[in-house]
Amino acid sequence: DTAVSQTPKYLVTQMGNDKSIKCEQNLGHDTMYWYKQDSKKFLKIMFSYNNKELIINETVPNRFSPKSPDKAHLNLHINSLELGDSAVYFCASSHRGEGGNTIYFGEGSWLTVV
Amino acid sequence: AQRVTQPEKLLSVFKGAPVELKCNYSYSGSPELFWYVQYSRQRLQLLLRHISRESIKGFTADLNKGETSFHLKKPFAQEEDSAMYYCALEGGSEKLVFGKGTKLTVNP
C-alpha cells in the first residue's frame, strides 16, 4: 500500500550508459515531481507534471527526460550518464487541500555512476 | 524569487536540552512554509506546516513575517530526533524550494 513508490532503489552503472527510474503513486494526486538530493544533502526540484503536462522544468541538462504516461506515473530517463549525476533521486506527488499543498515523497533511488 | 536559508549545517545538542533549528525565507508574496524531516536513508516526511499551526512530535514552528523566519523548536530534544531537517517554502507555483538542511544530532 505504498503511496509513492520508485524503482530501482539502488542503481550502479557506468558512465555513458542510459538508465531509467520509474515512479508510481496510488494517491490519486494530479501533480508529480522529481527532486535531486546531491552528496551535500541539498534538495532541488528538477521537474513537475500536472495531469501529464510538464509545468516545471528547472535548469536540468537535457540528458534528463521525464515521461508521464498517465497521471499516476512519472518516469525519469537519463541519457549518457556522467559522474556528477550520482545522487539520490526522489519522486513525489502532491494535492492541494485545506492545509495547503501537501507533498508526499518516495523512498528515493540511489544512483551511483562509476 | 523564492529562497530559503538554513544557516546551520550541523547542530548538536544533548538529550533533554531545548533545540531550535533556524529558517529564514525570502519571498515577496504570502508563502506557505513547511518543515520536512529525513531520518537516516529514509524518505522525506512532512513534519509540520505553518498553516496548520500544529505540534508534531513536540516540535512547533511559528511564522514570523516581520523577521521572515520559520524557526523549528522543541523544548526537550530526544535521541530519536536526530535527523536531517529541511525548511521549505511554496510560493504558489506548486514548487517546493528547500533550504540546504540542518543535520541535528541529539547526544545521550
Side-chain angles (χ1 to χ4, degrees), chain A residues 2 6 14 17 21 26-27 30 37-38 43 54 63 70 77 79-80 83 94 104 108 110-113:
Chain A
T2 306
Q6 46 185 116
Q14 290 185 326
N17 284 351
I21 308 172
N26 61 6
L27 297 167
D30 289 337
Q37 186 178 43
D38 63 22
L43 267 167
L54 181 66
R63 298 183 294 103
D70 55 64
H77 189 75
N79 288 328
S80 303
L83 293 176
S94 74
Y104 296 83
W110 271 255
L111 172 65
T112 302
V113 182

Side-chain angles (χ1 to χ4, degrees), chain B residues 20-31:
Chain B
E20 181 180 51
L21 291 89
K22 291 185 168 49
C23 172
N24 289 90
Y25 67 90
S26 174
Y27 181 63
S28 56
S30 291

